[in-house]
Amino acid sequence: MPSGLSTESAQPRGDADGAGRPADDLLAVSGVSVALRRRVGEVMVVDTANFTIAPNGALGVVGESGSGKSMLSRALIGTLPRYGGRVTRGSIRWQGRELVGLPEKEWRTIRGTEIGYVPQSSMASLNPILPIGEQLLEAVSNGRRRADAEHRARVLELLELVRIPRAKQVIGETAGQLSGGMRQRVVIAAALAQRPKLLILDEPTTALDVTVQAGILKLIVELRRELGMAVMLTSHDLAVIETVCDNVMTMYAGAVIEIGATGAVRQQPLHPYTKALMGSRVDQADPAKELLTIPGEPPTTGNWPTGCRFWPRCPSAIDACRVGEQPAMGAYGERWSACIRTEEFL
Amino acid sequence: MRWASRLKDADRMFLIGALLLALIVLASALAPILSSFDPVRGTSPPMRAPSAGHLFGTDNLGRDVFVRAFAATRLDMMLAVVAVGVSLIVGTLVGAVMGMGGRSKVSGFLNLVVDSINAFPFIVLALGVVAVVGPSVPGVLSAIILTGWARYARVARARTAVIADADFVNAARLLGYGRSRVMIRHVFPNVYSESFAFALSELVIVILAIASLSFLGAGVRPPTPELGAMISEGRIMLTRAWWISVFPGAVLALAALSIQLIADGYERMTRYA
Amino acid sequence: MTEPIITVADLHVTFATPRGDVPAVRGVDLVVAPGETVGIVGESGSGKSTLARAIVGLVDAQSGSVTVDGRPVRPVHGRRSRADAATVQMIFQDPYSSLNPRQRPIDAVAEAVHVCQRLDRKASRARAMELLGSVGISQAQCRMKTRSLSGGQRQRVSIARALAAEPKILVADEPTSALDQSIAASLLNLLRRIQSERGIAVVFISHDLGVVRYLAHRVYVMKEGVFVEDGVTVDVFEAPRHEYTRTLVSSVPGAGTTVAHGHAPAQE
């Protein structure tokens, strides 16, 4: 356990503003591990994550399937799988208030109210038979039974906020009548109903066509600016994160392995995995350039190697990488990397 | 080694069910052999309450209820396995043909037959068959099979239609595999595994159906020991000699429970493994 | 110009639904030269997958024709000859349904070798081992249960199985869209290597402009069942002539149009 990381002064910061004080953080995650119960027993899916999000910050979490990014974002809003999903250690502080171990009743004052959440599948998060307007009304009135004219006005306002044309018609339609992009906008509108200070989006554009994706990303960028809220977005696609986020955090096999300003990471990734990930996508400027490939497959949860999780596939691995625990994040100026050889790459 | 690790991974409910079933099977295999009592001819004093000599007591004809109950369990289980086995094979084959057949006349006709049988209340249809064949072991068997195969056909039909559309079957066709190769090596094995899981869950229903038919007097007839028939016989003496009905009923319930646990566990294990 | 190995002429494909016929492909012309990689790019519902299936004979044309290697494509539901199998093979999108779950990789590929090459059991297995090795499946993985293979490994097995027929054309329908990026990259490299080593023609269907740019010599842009633009890949993406292609190209994240940061505290 990298004890040095649990002190707030050594906290890797999700925001580029390194001068911010811990108390200013909207969200401070330190030493958080998440486990799920499987048939073989409890399996760790997120291992000792440390990061912060500043007010109005935008953090992108990039990682492939099984990296733990979805479970991490679900831990932040207290919706881990009900059977056997739990935060095993660490602390999640929301504006100074501890969220780990919060009773479900109190979670309701945070989830959806202060932290909005857009889950991966927009189709699954909308009721297929209830009109869109009714569902948004529920989100607006926050479970209170009587919905008044003010609430109805707010529903229309939300639909316009997410740039849905002909909002008055859409409130009477069901999810099935809307396109994938429209549905995603409705889900975002619902997440914004209580004016959250942080919006967490889990792979918000994965199932969408590229032209629709472009619209949704543009919307997220604009909403963040208009509403002054913070954003945390997970994606397997670094390019998506570059479009929306100031900072990017890379996850691999349950571990956070790099945090930095998006532009800096794009120019010079510090961790060999981030570097390999960027090399494995088609270069816009030189599309014919041979793609870099990472040999092998990511380790499955529960079968993580000793030492650095990435060493079996890493071109730069040395003997020291193969032993001990997953290396803790080290600070390199404004940036963080969990690679023990980072100094040599700089 | 491999078995040990597989046992550890196995579903807990499956193991409990298997253990329970093993005990019941063991008891039904051994009880009639080891016991000195005859399951059909009474040699003891009648209507005796359970005691060390007669664990489940004796019935009105002086027969040992314990020996009779497990002899009956053996018969019921064998009947159920045969009935389910035959229905499974026939139904799955017919269903697979229907699922592959598309819109041919043969499959249209089979569809009509299968849907008609399935639309009928099962017990009414079974009673009808018994009325023709006669209340006996062959009567019960044919009643269960004639009504049962159509359910397997329905399951196999749906599954086949899905598999026949799967890309690995398309790939097989593109590679120029013949119809029978596609069917036997690619479609059928994938249909069969699901049908087998369905058959396990049907086993419970069939055991209960055999007992029900006999209870109604339309199945195995006394003096042959059969659980449903035993419960029926003891019914009129329930207030004076409860053990004559209650013990066979409990054995029936436990047998059904054990198989249900196995079926559920099997489904969970094959689905998530 | 050499004789094209695929010629699609005024192809229409329609699907019957309870609400009536829905056209999926509405008059498409396409040619592919031997040894060429042609990309078909489009969004969901553009009809690109239906077109791919029509080229291999998995769906029937309403009208128009598909000629492959000089002969009209044979519907898959009829009896296909060895020559048909050796003409065109397909790689499917979903790695989880494109392999028979009851077959191990070695058995799946050996069966294809046995049927297509008429080799005996032993020779088929040896050839299958070779093929699987050439797509990067280890000896141990060859004998693993399909269920325990990852998506990327499954796609490799699918490729080996298709190559068993020694086809002149490989139609790949979104073969990497279900895979993680690092896995997809190695699969794309594999396809590129196969294409150049074996000189086979590849029809590559994808919604991802990046991978099409990476693989395809020429590209067709498809929208609502018709091609809106086609040409040499570089030309189409660098200087798109059709409005839709322009939208498509500019929508790719990182293409530079939507990068807009809020008033974030991004201090240098």
Side-chain angles (χ1 to χ4, degrees):
Chain A
M1 167 69 199
S3 57
L5 279 188
S6 60
T7 67
E8 284 178 317
S9 58
Q11 189 87 351
R13 310 192 57 79
D15 59 291
D17 181 8
R21 296 192 183 287
D24 296 340
D25 291 327
L26 204 53
L27 185 76
V29 173
S30 58
V32 164
S33 296
V34 178
L36 298 180
R37 195 179 308 167
R38 299 270 168 83
R39 257 182 39 206
V40 289
E42 204 165 56
V43 173
M44 196 191 274
V45 291
V46 175
D47 184 7
T48 327
N50 288 294
F51 63 94
T52 59
I53 297 176
N56 197 29
L59 175 67
V61 183
V62 70
E64 298 182 293
S65 43
S67 62
K69 58 187 191 305
S70 267
M71 284 305 153
L72 177 60
S73 52
R74 286 175 68 173
L76 300 184
I77 50 148
T79 56
L80 285 169
R82 205 165 293 179
Y83 178 74
R86 66 190 186 100
V87 174
T88 53
R89 61 180 178 193
S91 128
I92 301 170
R93 283 189 172 269
W94 171 251
Q95 297 184 297
R97 181 181 178 193
E98 181 59 53
L99 296 185
V100 174
L102 204 65
E104 178 58 29
K105 209 173 166 186
E106 286 178 51
W107 259 118
R108 281 180 213 150
T109 63
I110 305 253
R111 182 195 308 137
T113 315
E114 301 201 359
I115 307 179
Y117 181 68
V118 176
Q120 224 171 74
S121 164
S122 65
M123 194 61 203
S125 57
L126 290 174
N127 183 328
I129 53 166
L130 214 58
I132 296 300
E134 294 297 315
Q135 300 188 50
L136 284 174
L137 213 50
E138 261 172 35
V140 168
S141 59
N142 201 13
R144 280 186 293 276
R145 208 171 298 158
R146 287 206 63 81
D148 52 24
E150 199 181 321
H151 288 159
R152 291 182 193 283
R154 173 74 176 144
V155 167
L156 272 181
E157 189 187 307
L158 281 170
L159 286 172
E160 277 154 18
L161 188 66
V162 295
R163 282 70 156 158
I164 288 185
R166 52 180 197 93
K168 285 209 166 102
Q169 261 169 282
V170 167
I171 54 172
E173 289 174 4
T174 57
Q177 290 169 277
L178 301 179
S179 69
M182 282 298 155
R183 277 203 295 271
Q184 189 64 296
R185 281 167 196 267
V186 169
V187 176
I188 292 175
L192 295 176
Q194 300 294 323
R195 300 181 173 85
K197 297 191 182 85
L198 169 66
L199 184 64
I200 298 178
L201 306 107
D202 191 8
E203 296 266 9
T205 59
T206 300
L208 301 177
D209 278 325
V210 62
T211 50
V212 180
Q213 166 174 287
I216 297 285
L217 295 180
K218 184 161 172 277
L219 175 71
I220 296 169
V221 168
E222 289 169 1
L223 285 175
R224 183 186 156 210
R225 189 163 42 211
E226 285 168 33
L227 305 176
M229 64 177 180
V231 167
M232 174 172 155
L233 180 151
T234 73
S235 179
H236 63 281
D237 187 351
L238 211 52
V240 164
I241 286 169
E242 282 169 10
T243 310
V244 177
C245 301
D246 317 314
N247 297 288
V248 60
M249 170 165 118
T250 315
M251 288 188 76
Y252 182 78
V256 173
I257 55 158
E258 177 161 1
I259 297 178
T262 313
V265 172
R266 179 176 43 198
Q267 257 172 18
Q268 191 201 13
L270 292 185
H271 197 284
Y273 173 68
T274 316
K275 195 175 170 186
L277 198 60
M278 289 177 64
S280 68
R281 59 179 178 160
V282 178
D283 188 344
Q284 298 282 337
D286 183 10
K289 194 171 89 186
E290 176 90 6
L291 297 181
L292 284 179
T293 58
I294 309 177
E297 307 254 343
T300 50
T301 28
N303 297 311
W304 293 333
T306 55
C308 171
R309 304 265 153 80
F310 188 55
W311 78 256
R313 307 174 70 196
C314 182
S316 317
I318 53 173
D319 287 345
C321 299
R322 295 162 205 211
V323 291
E325 303 261 316
Q326 162 71 22
M329 297 270 273
Y332 302 89
E334 296 287 289
R335 303 175 58 184
W336 295 79
S337 164
C339 177
I340 57 171
R341 300 188 65 193
T342 307
E343 208 68 67
E344 301 168 49
F345 304 144
L346 280 171
Chain B
M1 258 318 272
R2 265 187 72 201
W3 266 104
S5 77
R6 283 182 74 164
L7 213 60
K8 220 174 73 186
D9 281 357
D11 196 88
R12 202 174 305 156
M13 288 292 134
F14 180 88
L15 289 179
I16 293 173
L19 199 70
L20 193 55
L21 184 66
L23 283 175
I24 294 170
V25 168
L26 202 70
S28 6
L30 295 183
I33 300 170
L34 293 187
S35 171
S36 54
F37 303 114
D38 189 288
V40 181
R41 277 189 325 160
T43 53
S44 306
M47 310 276 271
R48 286 295 157 90
S51 65
H54 298 284
L55 280 175
F56 289 0
T58 61
D59 69 3
N60 57 329
L61 297 176
R63 296 173 298 194
D64 182 79
V65 175
F66 184 83
V67 171
R68 255 179 92 69
F70 281 104
T73 307
R74 185 169 62 172
L75 176 69
D76 278 355
M77 289 223 182
M78 278 180 345
L79 284 179
V81 167
V82 170
V84 166
V86 174
S87 314
L88 171 68
I89 293 166
V90 172
T92 305
L93 283 171
V94 172
V97 168
M98 292 190 305
M100 292 294 280
R103 290 181 208 151
S104 72
K105 270 192 187 142
V106 178
S107 92
F109 174 72
L110 287 174
N111 270 320
L112 189 68
V113 173
V114 165
D115 290 340
S116 309
I117 293 177
N118 284 328
F120 241 83
F122 162 73
I123 204 81
V124 174
L125 203 59
L127 283 172
V129 175
V130 173
V132 175
V133 185
S136 57
V137 168
V140 172
L141 266 184
S142 44
I144 301 279
I145 292 169
L146 284 173
T147 54
W149 71 273
R151 285 196 302 279
Y152 297 89
R154 191 185 55 202
V155 169
R157 174 178 64 192
R159 178 75 177 160
T160 307
V162 170
I163 296 292
D165 226 25
D167 282 337
F168 69 83
V169 173
N170 283 330
R173 293 187 181 121
L174 281 174
L175 284 160
Y177 296 178
R179 262 174 168 272
S180 53
R181 175 180 287 273
V182 170
M183 191 69 203
I184 293 165
R185 303 195 57 139
H186 296 276
V187 178
F188 200 70
N190 289 290
V191 171
Y192 185 79
S193 59
E194 191 174 285
S195 294
F196 185 74
F198 178 65
L200 273 180
S201 65
E202 277 276 294
L203 207 51
V204 179
I205 297 168
V206 167
I207 286 185
L208 295 177
I210 292 170
S212 305
L213 283 174
S214 303
F215 181 86
L216 294 173
V220 181
R221 289 217 292 195
T224 312
E226 197 289 330
L227 290 169
M230 288 176 72
I231 298 169
S232 175
E233 279 170 20
R235 198 168 35 146
I236 40 171
M237 296 168 275
L238 200 57
T239 47
R240 284 171 294 151
W242 53 270
W243 53 88
I244 301 176
S245 283
V246 168
F247 281 117
V251 171
L252 180 61
L254 282 178
L257 176 67
S258 68
I259 295 168
Q260 188 67 57
L261 289 175
I262 289 172
D264 289 352
Y266 176 83
E267 205 200 318
R268 272 194 297 271
M269 284 182 342
T270 49
R271 188 184 300 163
Y272 298 120
Chain C
M1 165 151 178
T2 50
E3 193 69 11
I5 194 156
I6 304 176
T7 309
V8 175
D10 195 29
L11 181 75
H12 289 257
V13 181
T14 304
F15 289 116
T17 71
R19 292 183 176 187
D21 289 355
V22 174
V25 176
R26 305 181 296 136
V28 152
D29 296 284
L30 165 120
V31 288
V32 178
E36 182 187 33
T37 300
V38 165
I40 296 170
V41 64
E43 298 188 291
S44 49
S46 62
K48 59 188 191 300
S49 277
T50 307
L51 173 60
R53 284 173 183 256
I55 290 173
V56 299
L58 278 176
V59 298
D60 296 332
Q62 176 96 356
S63 67
S65 68
V66 177
T67 312
V68 177
D69 200 20
R71 290 170 304 166
V73 73
R74 203 89 62 93
V76 160
H77 291 276
R79 173 81 192 167
R80 278 166 73 91
S81 68
R82 263 204 288 167
D84 292 321
T87 305
V88 58
Q89 287 299 325
M90 185 160 177
I91 310 296
F92 298 90
Q93 175 173 7
D94 178 11
Y96 294 91
S97 75
S98 52
L99 293 180
N100 183 345
R102 317 281 297 185
Q103 270 184 326
R104 287 163 203 264
I106 176 71
D107 298 322
V109 180
E111 184 183 21
V113 175
H114 170 72
V115 172
C116 297
Q117 309 298 339
R118 297 284 155 95
L119 294 180
D120 64 27
R121 197 185 125 82
K122 211 178 147 202
S124 296
R125 290 181 81 82
R127 176 84 185 111
M129 241 11 192
E130 248 173 71
L131 280 167
L132 284 160
S134 76
V135 298
I137 295 292
S138 72
Q139 299 231 345
Q141 287 163 346
C142 288
R143 296 195 174 85
M144 269 158 71
K145 278 186 179 163
T146 293
R147 173 196 286 166
S148 49
L149 295 181
S150 72
Q153 288 159 350
R154 285 164 191 243
Q155 290 301 63
R156 287 166 187 274
V157 175
S158 283
I159 291 173
R161 182 182 58 193
L163 293 180
E166 300 191 350
K168 293 174 185 157
I169 305 161
L170 204 53
V171 176
D173 183 12
E174 301 260 20
T176 60
S177 63
L179 305 178
D180 274 324
Q181 187 179 296
S182 68
I183 306 298
S186 58
L187 206 75
L188 293 173
N189 283 349
L190 173 66
L191 281 171
R192 198 148 96 156
R193 203 189 75 214
I194 287 168
Q195 194 274 331
S196 67
E197 280 177 8
R198 295 178 174 250
I200 59 181
V202 175
V203 178
F204 190 89
I205 285 83
S206 183
H207 69 284
D208 186 331
L209 274 66
V211 303
V212 171
R213 278 185 92 158
Y214 184 61
L215 282 182
H217 304 127
R218 282 193 309 120
V219 63
Y220 290 82
V221 181
M222 196 165 185
K223 188 187 186 228
E224 288 164 13
V226 293
F227 289 146
V228 297
E229 183 165 356
D230 70 87
V232 175
T233 309
V234 183
D235 299 345
V236 171
F237 287 130
E238 300 284 320
R241 278 166 297 150
H242 194 277
E243 180 57 37
Y244 177 68
T245 316
R246 276 197 285 276
T247 311
L248 212 53
V249 170
S250 67
S251 296
V252 175
T257 49
T258 53
V259 183
H261 291 260
H263 46 84
Q267 298 171 357
E268 293 302 322

